Amino acid sequence: MLREGSLSRVTAEYVPVVAAVREAVAAAFGPELLHSAYLFGSIPRGTAVAGRSDLDLLLALHREPTDADQATANELLATLEARCPQLNGGSVLLFSTERLLSDLERYDLGWFLACLCTPLLGPDLAERLPRYRLDGMLARETNGDLAEFLPRWRERAANGAELTTLSRGAARKIVRTGFTLVMPRRQGWTSDLAESAAVFAQYYPERGAQMRAAAGIARTGSPDPADLALLLDELGPWLATEYMAVHGPKSPRP
């Protein structure tokens, strides 16, 4: 599987954003701590929409990240969002190089870095990872943990979590899980949520309408409790059971 993004695909409107990100990351995380930095999501895919798309970063550190490192990352994201009106939120993922290259993460975080992340700074860790195939092993290790998320989402809802944010995150996970359920049969990759739902519906037409609804929720989130119920009480539990039957559970983490 080839990388889906590239700096050459960044649109003209986002070229200065990428330059600002590179400068800010280097300043916030010096060479003693930062091994390499990567973009993922719509910006390196060339599909970002100004004012609607977020900034997604992965930083590989020479050691395990600390709470202080995460605070620095949060401050970095806030600064970039303030400087770049094209951005609408985002995320900064922090991992040690040891974890990213570990056998346990080879078909999850390792695959994510090698295939869905675009190098921005430093040596590319993908050169130390294998070439990946869209097979059952990859399906199991990327999304074979949906059953673990469902009770967490229900607990958050019961504790008064903001429904729009909760439903958006849950829907994204569910749509991606639906796609990777059928990915080995399709033998193709997409990160587009609408396309993911459409591909899933080809193999499970009886659940197609629900997955398309989930893809809609994944784009903007929904404050409607009925939409959250669709995700957590109907589509999600069925999908977790089907995934387990087809691919099995993800390897347990410490």
Side-chain angles (χ1 to χ4, degrees):
M1 177 178 169
L2 300 177
R3 268 193 163 119
E4 68 168 2
S6 168
L7 293 182
S8 65
R9 296 183 186 176
V10 176
T11 59
E13 192 165 16
Y14 279 86
V15 168
V17 174
V18 172
V21 171
R22 183 183 286 110
E23 178 184 351
V25 168
F29 294 87
E32 298 81 9
L33 178 57
L34 181 70
H35 175 277
S36 47
Y38 307 81
L39 290 168
F40 63 96
S42 60
I43 293 177
R45 292 200 305 266
T47 59
V49 178
R52 289 176 51 191
S53 296
D54 51 10
L55 171 67
D56 294 307
L57 279 170
L58 184 149
L59 305 184
L61 307 182
H62 290 297
R63 56 160 171 76
E64 288 298 320
T66 64
D67 290 342
D69 297 330
Q70 188 59 61
T72 299
N74 295 341
E75 183 178 348
L76 166 70
L77 184 61
T79 299
L80 286 167
E81 190 174 4
R83 288 178 55 188
C84 304
Q86 300 94 322
L87 299 177
N88 181 19
S91 61
V92 181
L93 306 180
L94 303 178
F95 300 103
S96 68
T97 57
E98 181 179 7
R99 181 177 176 188
L100 290 166
L101 296 174
S102 68
D103 290 342
L104 184 62
E105 296 292 350
R106 179 154 297 178
Y107 291 92
D108 189 7
L109 289 176
W111 164 80
F112 178 74
L113 183 147
C115 296
L116 302 188
C117 292
T118 297
L120 182 67
L121 280 170
D124 184 6
L125 285 174
E127 296 176 358
R128 299 164 63 183
L129 291 163
R131 292 183 64 86
Y132 290 92
R133 302 191 314 171
L134 302 175
D135 57 13
M137 168 74 80
L138 187 60
R140 182 177 73 244
E141 293 304 312
T142 53
N143 285 304
D145 56 354
L146 178 61
E148 299 175 17
F149 280 83
L150 292 169
R152 300 176 199 168
W153 292 331
R154 293 189 187 106
E155 182 178 3
R156 288 176 57 191
N159 290 336
E162 202 274 316
L163 294 188
T164 299
T165 301
L166 176 58
S167 64
R168 183 170 184 254
R172 287 188 167 196
K173 174 69 173 178
I174 286 171
V175 173
R176 288 171 179 149
T177 301
F179 175 76
T180 53
L181 172 64
V182 302
M183 174 188 68
R185 284 185 275 175
R186 181 183 186 247
Q187 280 301 296
W189 177 263
T190 180
S191 288
D192 182 271
L193 295 171
E195 184 180 355
S196 295
V199 170
F200 167 86
Q202 294 174 11
Y203 297 89
Y204 292 91
E206 71 281 6
R207 293 281 178 173
Q210 289 184 330
M211 193 62 78
R212 290 188 183 95
I217 298 168
R219 284 192 293 273
T220 60
S222 172
D224 188 345
D227 286 336
L228 191 64
L230 166 68
L231 300 172
L232 305 192
D233 301 329
E234 297 180 47
L235 182 57
W238 171 84
L239 182 57
T241 299
E242 181 69 6
Y243 212 95
M244 185 75 68
V246 175
H247 297 302
K250 184 174 183 175
S251 300
R253 267 51 178 172

